[in-house]
Amino acid sequence: MFSLAVFFQSFGPLFWAARYTLLISVLGIGLGVVIGTLICAARLSPYPPLRRFAAIWVSFLRGVPLLVQLLVFYYALPVIGLDVPAMVAAVVTVGICASAYISEIWRGAIAALPKGQAEAAVAIGMTPVDVWTRVILPQAVTLSLPALINELILLVKASSLVSVVGILEITRASQAQAATTFRPLEVYIAAACIYLLINLCLAALGRYLEHRTAV
Amino acid sequence: MLAASSVEMRKVNKYYGKFQALKDIELSIPPGKVTCLIGPSGSGKSTLLRCINFLEEYDSGEVRIDGQLIGYDAPNKKMSGRRLREMRRSIGMVFQQFNLWPHMTARENVAEGLIRVRRISKADADRRASEALAKVGLADKSASHPSRLSGGQQQRVAIARAIAMEPKLMLFDEPTSALDPELVGEVLSVMRTLAGEGMTMVVVTHEMGFAAHVADQVGFMEKGELVSVDSPDRILHRPEDARIQSFLRTYHERNSF
């Protein structure tokens, strides 16, 4: 029999654990946007060594599973003498992994802009900085919003992987709940509901932002 | 009367890899006059035009605006970005695809260059943008985004964006080629007004009527060569060169019914 009581009781601890899920996802995507923007800039720069570095960065991070990256990063840090909290290791790994995808999202959006957009700005004498900040990036951000929200939703789900380094986020917390209540089905369905709730909110936020930036 | 620039092109060559897009171009564009460039597509008209503001980098020869070399300080020594930007400020350009910035309103499109490049206050820029829009007959559209405007209106906003910068030279790269036929007239009429005010204009066009009635000189290009530059009458009505005759014959055949 499905126990509604266990199902509802599970929400308390799982919501509490959701703060880690959200923290890791939001900080991760924040870090991912910062690093991803730099990688994208390197990828589009006129300097071949920078372009190569960015290309390798992207293929390496896209080619290795996040779970493996997490484990490598978590166990590699003590070897080089760095003792960082699991939370920091998790955010940094998630951010670095996301940066590979985000730099490709930027690159695609920038490539989708007609060349004439920048040319019109160059022709009236705008500086390269103005061309980027006033003409290219505002349009690229709008174009890439759906893909960025998509990436954020993927990260929320991928954050379940950080349970392997001992962070008590939703998945890890539900495993613990399941072990103490012996009611895994109820607990995991509750966990699924929380993930779904978070991601529906993010999708709504995405629609709102898309609507606001639409021209 | 506006301050108007002259342009001198001497032995200008341009290559794309091994393909020679411009061959020894010699062209004098007098101040305050309208020069139209005609010729088959792919003949190098747009490339030539884009060399004048160095949007296209020519490989050899000289392009001088009011006697000042653009793009290079000396042969093989590129001009600094800052100096190039200074020269471009007084050269307006209008593109075939308008190239308005879709995330800005018509007024913001026009004011942007004034604020960023001319460094004038937002209030003044808005005022001058409104004036420029009024001049092209779009005072009532200043708050509209480009997506809400017809092609002809978008192109007029693009012209307003260029003239708000008070250029001394205007380059038009097939300004009506992307427009539906019924919208061509409104753009040409704005250009005619501008020509009447004494603006130096270089216009790449397939509008032979405009070339015949507004141009002071017409250049015919083919395969990267400027075959001939002469009065509109001599190029369009009494051409001597067989290549021009053949081009015009094709043009007339296509436009008669």
Side-chain angles (χ1 to χ4, degrees), chain B residues 95-114:
Chain B
F95 301 84
Q96 183 177 354
Q97 300 296 338
F98 330 134
N99 297 349
L100 291 180
W101 301 308
H103 55 303
M104 300 181 192
T105 64
R107 196 205 283 112
E108 287 166 346
N109 263 278
V110 180
E112 187 68 16
L114 296 169

Side-chain angles (χ1 to χ4, degrees), chain A residues 113-140 142 213-215, chain B residues 50 53 55-56 85-86 88-89 91-93 95 98-104 109 112-114 116-117 119 145 147-148 161-162 165:
Chain A
L113 290 182
K115 229 177 104 216
Q117 286 293 308
E119 271 183 355
V122 168
I124 59 171
M126 279 199 204
T127 62
V129 170
D130 281 342
V131 174
W132 277 93
T133 58
R134 303 294 303 170
V135 175
I136 298 177
L137 290 179
Q139 295 187 65
T142 308
T213 54
V215 288
Chain B
R50 292 160 59 89
N53 64 353
L55 220 46
E56 209 69 70
R85 287 196 294 276
E86 271 167 24
R88 280 176 174 155
R89 275 186 211 178
I91 308 174
M93 185 159 196
F95 301 84
F98 330 134
N99 297 349
L100 291 180
W101 301 308
H103 55 303
M104 300 181 192
N109 263 278
E112 187 68 16
L114 296 169
R116 300 280 148 188
V117 179
R119 303 252 163 234
H145 279 89
S147 57
R148 299 266 170 216
R161 175 171 69 179
M165 299 288 287

